[in-house]
Amino acid sequence: MGDGEFAVLLGRPVPSGEPAGPIDEHDSVSTLGRARSRLARLACRVVGSLVRRAVRRNQSDLNLLFVHNIPFRAIAKMSGGRVSAEMVGGIVDACNGHLLRGARKLVGGYVRDARENRAWERRLTG
């Protein structure tokens, strides 16, 4: 069955396989190829070429595959408290072409987290 016949059965045009719109924290690193930021697209190409090279050599590099397929929100979960959800939002903003807003969120989140961590350490140690 072709796309035309399927569209008739579906009652609307067949959706494309590519997601539309800006990148969000639920997208994986492999979707950076459609990012507005040149640096993000470069990172996607580099990671993609490393994955393809590992496949050609028949080497399964699970760390590389993990990085290639990890969603941005998991960066905060897997960083052991070094990256907050606010900082992930800054990374996503930078990938979507809002470099200054993303950098402000990233640095602001880092400073806030460091301040909160110091306050908790003072509370715990007495």
Side-chain angles (χ1 to χ4, degrees):
M1 174 182 299
D3 283 347
E5 295 170 351
F6 188 71
V8 169
L9 291 174
L10 190 61
R12 60 184 168 89
V14 178
S16 67
E18 285 296 315
I23 292 172
D24 65 358
E25 60 270 357
H26 305 295
D27 289 328
S28 66
V29 172
S30 62
T31 61
L32 285 178
R34 62 181 174 90
R36 290 187 65 198
S37 168
R38 287 182 181 174
L39 184 60
R41 290 192 308 263
L42 175 66
C44 181
R45 281 195 304 270
V46 168
V47 172
S49 68
L50 290 173
V51 168
R52 285 188 299 276
R53 185 172 71 184
V55 167
R56 275 196 315 266
R57 293 181 179 177
N58 289 329
Q59 297 173 340
S60 59
D61 189 350
L62 296 180
N63 290 331
L64 188 59
L65 289 172
F66 179 76
V67 167
H68 190 253
N69 293 311
I70 189 172
F72 288 105
R73 69 179 186 277
I75 294 171
K77 302 250 184 225
M78 302 296 291
S79 68
R82 292 188 180 127
V83 177
S84 67
E86 180 184 4
M87 294 168 72
V88 170
I91 294 169
V92 170
D93 281 347
C95 291
N96 283 324
H98 305 288
L99 184 62
L100 294 178
R101 180 173 46 181
R104 187 172 56 238
K105 279 185 181 179
L106 191 63
V107 171
Y110 178 78
V111 169
R112 263 186 290 287
D113 278 352
R115 189 180 317 131
E116 289 174 8
N117 288 340
R118 281 193 303 273
W120 272 106
E121 282 182 28
R122 274 187 250 124
R123 282 183 182 171
L124 293 174
T125 58

